[in-house]
Amino acid sequence: MKNIILVLMVLSFSGCAAIQERMAQSEARKPNSSFVAQEISVSDAKDLAQDMAAFLETQLPAAKTTLEIQASGKDFYPLFREQLTKRGFGVIEVKPGMEKRGIFLRYRITQFYQGVLVRMEYDGKAPSRYYDRGTDGHLTLQSSYTLREASK
């Protein structure tokens, strides 16, 4: 009897993990949502937030731009918001039902091979960048952003 209860408990816990993974995948597919994969470490989040904010600073006039962002990534979003505000951007966290007050910025950060793939979308543009890992395990900045016009 104890074995049956133990097996049922193990199956229910593995089912919970599978459901959480499915929910994360579903969230990543929403058209106007941001997404950060759970595998992204705090160290990676810090490097990515700094580099993404620096890129946006080259593309948009910081002091005149308010970015509307749907927060994603418990470690990433606070770091990204801090980097954007340091550079002079206004940042509004988007909530359901809010009226548009700035430029909507969506980001998706996912594991890809050994590195990380970053995709952003704002104001009809869609920059992306792949960050490979160096021999020490940290992200490298060897590639540059690819910028394309987003479909309307």
Side-chain angles (χ1 to χ4, degrees), residues 42-57:
V42 175
S43 173
D44 289 348
K46 184 177 179 182
D47 293 342
L48 293 170
Q50 195 169 22
D51 190 61
M52 290 167 63
F55 173 77
L56 289 170
E57 187 178 29

Side-chain angles (χ1 to χ4, degrees), residues 8-25:
L8 289 175
M9 288 177 58
V10 168
L11 289 175
S12 68
F13 286 132
S14 65
C16 288
I19 289 170
Q20 286 180 337
E21 181 64 27
R22 291 279 184 188
M23 288 173 60
Q25 290 172 355

Side-chain angles (χ1 to χ4, degrees), residues 6-152:
L6 182 62
V7 168
L8 289 175
M9 288 177 58
V10 168
L11 289 175
S12 68
F13 286 132
S14 65
C16 288
I19 289 170
Q20 286 180 337
E21 181 64 27
R22 291 279 184 188
M23 288 173 60
Q25 290 172 355
S26 174
E27 187 66 28
R29 288 189 192 104
K30 289 183 180 176
N32 289 324
S33 66
S34 294
F35 175 77
V36 178
Q38 293 175 340
E39 301 85 10
I40 304 301
S41 69
V42 175
S43 173
D44 289 348
K46 184 177 179 182
D47 293 342
L48 293 170
Q50 195 169 22
D51 190 61
M52 290 167 63
F55 173 77
L56 289 170
E57 187 178 29
T58 67
Q59 302 296 305
L60 299 166
K64 297 179 182 178
T65 304
T66 298
L67 297 171
E68 293 185 9
I69 303 174
Q70 181 186 15
S72 181
K74 66 179 177 66
D75 294 325
F76 175 77
Y77 178 71
L79 296 167
F80 189 42
R81 181 183 180 114
E82 177 186 352
Q83 287 295 322
L84 289 169
T85 55
K86 274 185 183 178
R87 287 170 166 76
F89 287 101
V91 178
I92 298 171
E93 186 175 337
V94 175
K95 302 287 184 195
M98 280 180 58
E99 64 181 60
K100 184 173 171 31
R101 295 187 288 181
I103 295 174
F104 183 74
L105 172 67
R106 177 179 81 161
Y107 55 87
R108 294 174 184 258
I109 303 172
T110 56
Q111 289 286 119
F112 190 71
Y113 292 106
Q114 307 96 306
V116 174
L117 179 63
V118 169
R119 292 167 289 178
M120 292 185 277
E121 192 171 313
Y122 64 91
D123 205 22
K125 295 178 176 50
S128 60
R129 184 175 191 177
Y130 176 70
Y131 298 82
D132 200 4
R133 292 205 184 274
T135 54
D136 62 355
H138 288 93
L139 297 176
T140 65
L141 303 176
Q142 293 176 352
S143 65
S144 58
Y145 275 94
T146 300
L147 185 62
R148 69 176 175 81
E149 294 293 318
S151 61
K152 302 276 183 196

